[in-house]
């Protein structure tokens, strides 16, 4: 069965950087028509999309992270990454990796379009 396992979270000072990794098992990066994404959820807030990457490499970002975060994937390693720079206190949240199932034409807009989810990794930004 598909498993997504996040790592790389931690506590970092404002302006610092972190790199999150999502290792996927039983999820084929070799085919086309899939989407992988990072979501986050802060206490008391709804889960929100942070960044997504389609199988052809097309990326999309939430406005709040554009220019600071970069999503990428390594097909050979079956992994997707989130490079986070210039971190702010409002970036503090649990970060989740998500993946779609079947063949899709583009990345879903909301979380309901993603079938597979990791357990999350905590990111805390302190001043």
């Amino acid at each position: 069965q598909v498993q997504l396992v996040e790592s790389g979270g931690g506590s970092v000072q404002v302006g610092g950087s972190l790199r999150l990794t999502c290792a996927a098992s039983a999820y084929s990066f070799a085919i086309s028509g899939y989407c992988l994404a990072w979501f986050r959820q802060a206490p008391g807030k709804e889960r929100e999309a942070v960044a997504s990457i389609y199988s052809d490499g097309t990326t999309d970002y939430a406005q709040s992270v554009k220019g600071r975060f970069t999503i990428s994937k390594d097909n050979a390693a079956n992994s997707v990454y989130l490079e986070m720079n210039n971190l702010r206190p409002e970036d503090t949240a649990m970060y989740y990796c998500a993946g779609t199932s079947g063949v899709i034409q583009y990345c879903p807009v909301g979380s309901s379009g993603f079938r597979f989810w990791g357990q999350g990794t905590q990111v805390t930004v302190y001043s």
Side-chain angles (χ1 to χ4, degrees), residues 17-38:
S17 299
L18 283 173
R19 187 188 195 217
L20 306 184
T21 297
C22 173
S25 57
Y27 191 95
S28 177
F29 280 49
I31 62 172
S32 59
Y34 65 86
C35 180
L36 292 159
W38 288 94

Side-chain angles (χ1 to χ4, degrees), residues 27 33-37 52-55 98-102 104 106-108 114:
Y27 191 95
Y34 65 86
C35 180
L36 292 159
S52 63
I53 185 165
Y54 188 61
S55 48
T100 57
S101 65
I104 58 173
Y106 47 83
C107 284
F114 292 85

Side-chain angles (χ1 to χ4, degrees), residues 92-117:
T92 295
M94 186 71 79
Y95 283 71
Y96 299 91
C97 176
T100 57
S101 65
V103 178
I104 58 173
Q105 300 302 312
Y106 47 83
C107 284
V109 174
S111 61
S112 61
F114 292 85
R115 178 179 177 184
F116 305 109
W117 291 84

